[in-house]
Amino acid sequence: MLDAAKAKAQRGELRLSVPFGYIWHREAGLGLDPDLRLQEVIRLIFTRFGELNSARQVLLSMTADRIHFPRPSDEGRMTSFNWVPIRYRNVISVLKNPFYAGVYVYGKSEKRTSIVEGRARRSYGHSKPVGTWDVFIRDHHEGYISWEDYERNQEQLALNTYGRAGGVKSGRGGGALLSGMMTCARCGRRLSVAYTGNPQSRPVYRCHKPNLMMGLPRCMTFGGPRVDAAVARELLQAVEPLAVEAAFEAERMHRKRQDDQHQILDLELRQARYEANLAERRYAACDPDNRLIAAQLEKNWEVALRRVRDLEAHKPSDSSSTIEVDPSAFADLAENLSAAWNAPEVTMRARQQLLRALIADIIVDVDDAARDVVLTIHWRGGQHSELRVRKPRAGEHDCATSDDALAV
């Protein structure tokens, strides 16, 4: 029986349990779920992850936009479901499932047998690494993303989880601009960030893994504010020639995000209105003498109407997407990049994401003789530049009077 199922799976004909967004049609076979609202929510998860590079940030973004996700209401048979606030496991399950990349997979998990107290114990559901699956058929069905996008997503998720060498974590905010971006030129490890001061708000970059793991001296330790400011100046100089084009691209992405959000909320509102009309028809068709049933149907109708009112109250206005951008408004944008970068409304996470969009990696070393922090910036596109930042002596800080002022 198992051999017959495996043979059928190798032909891509075994009707496996499919995730949300797909359905087995009786005649046409496997295809996308006809529920447009469900399709849009799944596509939005992939779109947001492409922008934010963090599953948790996708969750926070969709939660702020009041986006819901389906949950089975028929004990896992996936034939009916309820829409509930999205959870982290929903985001992860969509991002990690190769089915959404148009791949038919069979045999992703295995059973294992171990000897416990002299008796054989079997356990099931152990995931097998990619490449060891029993059946792997690309382009089997219509996907929400390509296989290349799926592989990129898995690499980013792995970097976010374990911080492997060769990759950069997504920008997650905090007080350090270069958090997760710098690699030690002496040992090849990522520099970590610590916060000092009272309150603890001043970032300090350090490479102390050899000290923690093997008792060796620390590779380097230096303060973060000067280095962050120097890299930010270098970044703004690189962005300045393309400031206007970047502003238009940001406006386009903002409009697209608004349109996606409006479409999902509109589909959710249409579904809620349908359920309210259905509850009204059920209440009208009920025998009024059957008081127990009539009371429950009336309650269901009231709940459906309340949901419609809540969605209508939170529905954003359609006027925001009709604003036309005047090109002359960006004439002086290149001269005001520094003010825009340091504006209080700009979050550290936004600065980190812009930095990661242009810089692939930074190799850092400390010239002890010259007391300089040497930064080798690897720009996306293959260009490299070197930046030297003076490392202050012990007890020296930015509030001290400069040597030039003392000389005057």
Side-chain angles (χ1 to χ4, degrees):
M1 186 68 179
L2 293 177
D3 294 338
K6 185 174 180 180
K8 200 170 183 179
Q10 289 175 345
R11 300 192 302 268
E13 299 175 356
L14 183 64
R15 295 206 167 191
L16 303 171
S17 176
V18 294
F20 285 116
Y22 288 97
I23 190 172
W24 286 103
H25 302 282
R26 178 171 298 180
E27 301 296 337
L30 182 63
L32 298 181
D33 193 304
D35 190 338
L36 295 180
R37 178 186 174 190
L38 181 54
Q39 292 184 25
E40 289 299 324
V41 168
I42 293 174
R43 290 194 176 94
L44 184 62
I45 292 177
F46 289 115
T47 302
R48 293 282 175 91
F49 187 78
E51 298 172 357
L52 303 174
N53 291 323
S54 169
R56 174 166 173 77
Q57 295 302 327
V58 172
L59 171 68
L60 297 178
S61 173
M62 297 182 71
T63 301
D65 292 339
R66 302 173 63 89
I67 304 299
H68 290 68
F69 196 83
R71 183 175 65 182
S73 59
D74 52 3
E75 299 181 355
R77 289 192 295 270
M78 305 287 285
T79 57
S80 62
F81 44 81
N82 298 323
W83 288 87
V84 298
I86 192 169
R87 300 181 181 181
Y88 181 78
R89 65 187 183 191
N90 303 137
V91 177
I92 285 293
S93 63
V94 170
L95 293 174
K96 289 190 173 183
N97 197 331
F99 211 88
Y100 291 107
V103 177
Y104 183 92
V105 176
Y106 176 81
K108 291 193 301 180
S109 60
E110 61 183 354
K111 65 179 180 180
R112 297 176 183 175
T113 304
S114 59
I115 305 300
V116 179
E117 297 179 356
R119 301 182 62 181
R121 296 285 181 88
R122 291 183 179 179
S123 56
Y124 300 85
H126 298 280
S127 299
K128 297 163 64 176
V130 180
T132 62
W133 298 334
D134 296 341
V135 177
F136 179 88
I137 305 176
R138 290 183 59 176
D139 300 326
H140 174 267
H141 52 270
E142 183 179 357
Y144 285 83
I145 59 173
S146 65
W147 177 251
E148 291 72 19
D149 291 338
Y150 173 80
E151 290 182 320
R152 188 200 71 84
N153 292 344
Q154 304 316 301
E155 292 176 359
Q156 185 62 57
L157 288 172
L159 295 173
N160 292 347
T161 305
Y162 302 107
R164 297 175 182 174
V168 180
K169 279 191 175 185
S170 61
R172 302 182 179 184
L177 177 64
L178 305 179
S179 175
M181 287 285 295
M182 293 190 293
T183 301
C184 178
R186 302 180 183 180
C187 68
R189 295 181 174 88
R190 287 284 175 191
L191 270 67
S192 60
V193 182
Y195 294 92
T196 62
N198 189 16
Q200 294 184 345
S201 58
R202 179 178 179 271
V204 175
Y205 298 109
R206 59 188 183 183
C207 180
H208 63 155
K209 291 291 181 64
N211 178 266
L212 295 177
M213 300 171 62
M214 297 173 287
L216 299 176
R218 293 181 178 179
C219 293
M220 62 187 69
T221 301
F222 54 88
R226 292 191 180 187
V227 175
D228 288 352
V231 174
R233 288 193 298 270
E234 196 80 3
L235 177 69
L236 295 178
Q237 291 178 4
V239 172
E240 186 173 356
L242 302 175
V244 176
E245 290 81 357
F248 278 105
E249 179 65 17
E251 176 66 17
R252 186 193 65 79
M253 293 177 62
H254 177 67
R255 287 192 180 186
K256 184 179 183 302
R257 181 170 179 174
Q258 280 189 332
D259 292 341
D260 293 341
Q261 180 185 355
H262 291 177
Q263 185 173 1
I264 290 179
L265 294 179
D266 183 62
L267 292 173
E268 188 174 357
L269 180 58
R270 288 164 58 184
Q271 179 70 21
R273 287 171 177 169
Y274 165 76
E275 294 175 355
N277 293 333
L278 181 61
E280 180 183 6
R281 292 196 301 269
R282 288 174 176 173
Y283 174 73
C286 176
D287 185 357
D289 293 333
N290 193 346
R291 298 180 180 274
L292 296 178
I293 300 298
Q296 183 61 42
L297 292 177
E298 184 180 9
K299 182 178 179 181
N300 295 341
W301 184 19
E302 292 176 354
V303 171
L305 290 175
R306 191 179 305 116
R307 174 162 177 76
V308 171
R309 288 194 297 269
D310 292 342
L311 291 174
E312 289 176 342
H314 291 90
K315 183 180 179 181
S317 60
D318 297 332
S319 59
S320 58
S321 60
T322 60
I323 299 176
E324 295 294 335
V325 180
D326 184 9
S328 62
F330 296 100
D332 299 330
L333 180 62
E335 301 177 1
N336 299 323
L337 282 177
S338 179
W341 175 271
N342 297 306
E345 296 82 6
V346 179
T347 63
M348 180 58 74
R349 186 164 67 89
R351 298 189 184 102
Q352 291 172 347
Q353 291 176 354
L354 176 60
L355 186 78
R356 284 154 175 75
L358 300 176
I359 297 178
D361 195 11
I362 300 176
I363 308 299
V364 60
D365 198 358
V366 175
D367 187 347
D368 295 322
R371 295 196 62 82
D372 285 343
V373 179
V374 184
L375 305 167
T376 303
I377 303 176
H378 295 176
W379 300 89
R380 297 193 183 276
Q383 299 295 325
H384 307 281
S385 61
E386 183 176 295
L387 184 65
R388 302 179 75 93
V389 181
R390 181 176 174 275
K391 181 181 179 181
R393 296 182 176 85
E396 183 180 351
H397 49 79
D398 293 336
C399 296
T401 306
S402 63
D403 295 337
D404 296 337
L406 291 175
V408 173

